[in-house]
Amino acid sequence: MPKINPAPKRRSGCPLNASIEILGDRWSLLIVRDMMLRNFHSYKQFLESHERIATNILADRLRDLEKHGIITPQRDPEDGRKVIYRLTAKGIDLAPVMAEMVLWSASHEDVGNQELVRQIRADKTKFVAGVRQRWAAQQTKSSTNGNSK
Amino acid sequence: MPKINPAPKRRSGCPLNASIEILGDRWSLLIVRDMMLRNFHSYKQFLESHERIATNILADRLRDLEKHGIITPQRDPEDGRKVIYRLTAKGIDLAPVMAEMVLWSASHEDVGNQELVRQIRADKTKFVAGVRQRWAAQQTKSSTNGNSK
DNA sequence: CAGGATCCGTTTCGATACTG
DNA sequence: CAGTATCGAAACGGATCCTG
């Protein structure tokens, strides 16, 4: 990563100053959406999905997300050649943001998966809790035999 | 915008498909933040603020936001040469998204304006209601014409 | 085959200069 | 003050190549 990021501005005078690099990036947001809402975990899934991200861009964003502590890569314990990307706790904390984004999006333009939208609209807290639960379940599942982290 | 947007993919199989153009753009997000949280309304204010947006980019994003129906420009009734940018109803509906973004941002890195963060954290609904109220007040103020001046 | 890295033409960005 | 014009730099995207 040759990017020097010359930002010497300690201007944390406003909200969103640092986070904007993730929240304000199209691909990062879509990757997080796919992990959170569609339970995607692999490079290949991200590639085949959504708006046709290019391989180099995908690799780049996965690195960015990791660098920001939002996802973490790990070997698939059942298939050594596969890498499984997981949301971190910080990443899963994006669930409320994602929920509001989906709601806003759904109420102002046509989107698919109305089922999901209904669900979030009916009970936002429950939706976030559900996301967390599925996430926690997968965490334990993958650490049962190996005890990672 | 000469972009033809060749997306023939009626793939609205996922949430956020269209909205990602605004939600996934750094500058658009910052402009909305400044309008919503700091009560900014003019080109000049946006320029002087935050991460030093370039003049052409600012003009471009203001156009995008208008095209997406999130802001609307209007003449300042008290000063004809000034343009005042206002959030539309759709724009103000972004308040919950913004609130969650600020909360996420604040709980994972240093941000300024802890006062605002406390306020949102204490009562999110109240915060959103407050944003809406200030907005509605300014709407009526600028449309009642007569009494100002 | 999964997960990239590299090359390369195109698009967008961003800083600055300029204009109504 | 509110933008537009310009131009080099960076990012994107697609295709292909590499590695385990």
Side-chain angles (χ1 to χ4, degrees):
Chain A
M1 198 272 302
K3 191 188 193 174
I4 311 299
N5 197 356
K9 44 188 77 167
R10 301 292 305 136
R11 287 194 49 72
S12 59
C14 287
L16 305 192
N17 261 350
S19 313
I20 201 70
E21 278 172 43
I22 295 299
L23 296 178
D25 181 74
R26 169 195 181 90
W27 297 118
S28 302
L29 234 40
L30 288 174
I31 292 170
V32 170
R33 177 202 66 184
D34 282 346
M35 297 185 79
M36 196 172 288
L37 267 34
R38 312 172 80 191
N39 218 23
F40 281 11
H41 291 290
S42 72
Y43 190 91
K44 195 190 173 196
Q45 285 178 307
F46 299 134
L47 263 194
E48 291 173 347
S49 161
H50 54 57
E51 312 289 49
R52 302 283 153 193
I53 187 170
T55 62
N56 53 344
I57 305 296
L58 175 55
D60 185 62
R61 293 314 138 94
L62 287 172
R63 246 177 274 122
D64 280 359
L65 286 167
E66 185 185 352
K67 213 171 40 196
H68 279 85
I70 289 167
I71 68 175
T72 181
Q74 47 193 252
R75 295 266 140 208
D76 184 334
E78 303 176 8
D79 184 347
R81 61 190 183 164
K82 271 192 173 177
V83 177
I84 293 193
Y85 293 94
R86 288 191 191 290
L87 289 165
T88 60
K90 180 175 175 181
I92 221 64
D93 282 351
L94 280 169
V97 178
M98 189 59 60
E100 295 296 353
M101 282 182 170
V102 170
L103 287 185
W104 182 80
S105 171
S107 58
H108 291 286
E109 27 214 346
D110 285 347
V111 298
N113 206 343
Q114 287 295 324
E115 173 58 25
L116 174 70
V117 174
R118 274 198 320 99
Q119 197 178 318
I120 300 178
R121 202 170 281 162
D123 192 338
K124 208 179 303 174
T125 310
K126 189 175 167 188
F127 163 78
V128 171
V131 169
R132 284 187 189 285
Q133 270 174 31
R134 268 190 302 133
W135 176 73
Q138 289 172 355
Q139 288 299 103
T140 48
K141 189 175 64 183
S142 78
S143 66
T144 43
N145 51 356
N147 186 10
S148 62
K149 185 117 201 181
Chain B
M1 198 270 298
K3 190 186 194 178
I4 312 298
N5 195 357
K9 44 187 83 167
R10 298 295 303 137
R11 289 192 49 71
S12 59
C14 288
L16 304 193
N17 261 350
S19 314
I20 201 70
E21 278 171 43
I22 295 301
L23 296 177
D25 181 77
R26 171 193 178 91
W27 297 118
S28 302
L29 236 39
L30 289 174
I31 292 170
V32 170
R33 177 202 66 183
D34 282 346
M35 295 184 80
M36 196 172 290
L37 267 34
R38 311 172 81 191
N39 217 23
F40 281 11
H41 292 288
S42 73
Y43 189 93
K44 191 191 175 195
Q45 284 178 308
F46 300 133
L47 262 193
E48 289 174 347
S49 161
H50 55 58
E51 314 288 47
R52 301 283 151 193
I53 186 170
T55 61
N56 53 343
I57 305 295
L58 175 55
D60 185 62
R61 295 311 139 95
L62 287 172
R63 246 176 272 126
D64 280 1
L65 286 167
E66 185 185 351
K67 212 171 42 199
H68 279 85
I70 290 167
I71 66 174
T72 181
Q74 47 192 250
R75 295 266 140 209
D76 184 334
E78 303 178 9
D79 184 348
R81 59 191 184 166
K82 269 193 176 177
V83 175
I84 292 193
Y85 294 95
R86 288 191 190 288
L87 289 165
T88 61
K90 180 175 176 181
I92 221 65
D93 282 351
L94 280 169
V97 178
M98 189 60 58
E100 294 296 352
M101 282 181 169
V102 170
L103 287 184
W104 183 80
S105 170
S107 59
H108 292 285
E109 26 213 347
D110 285 347
V111 298
N113 206 343
Q114 288 294 326
E115 172 58 24
L116 174 68
V117 174
R118 275 197 319 96
Q119 197 179 318
I120 301 179
R121 201 171 282 161
D123 192 338
K124 208 180 302 172
T125 309
K126 188 174 167 188
F127 163 76
V128 172
V131 169
R132 283 187 189 286
Q133 269 175 31
R134 266 190 302 132
W135 176 73
Q138 288 173 355
Q139 290 298 103
T140 49
K141 188 175 64 183
S142 75
S143 66
T144 45
N145 68 10
N147 43 13
S148 66
K149 159 161 294 197

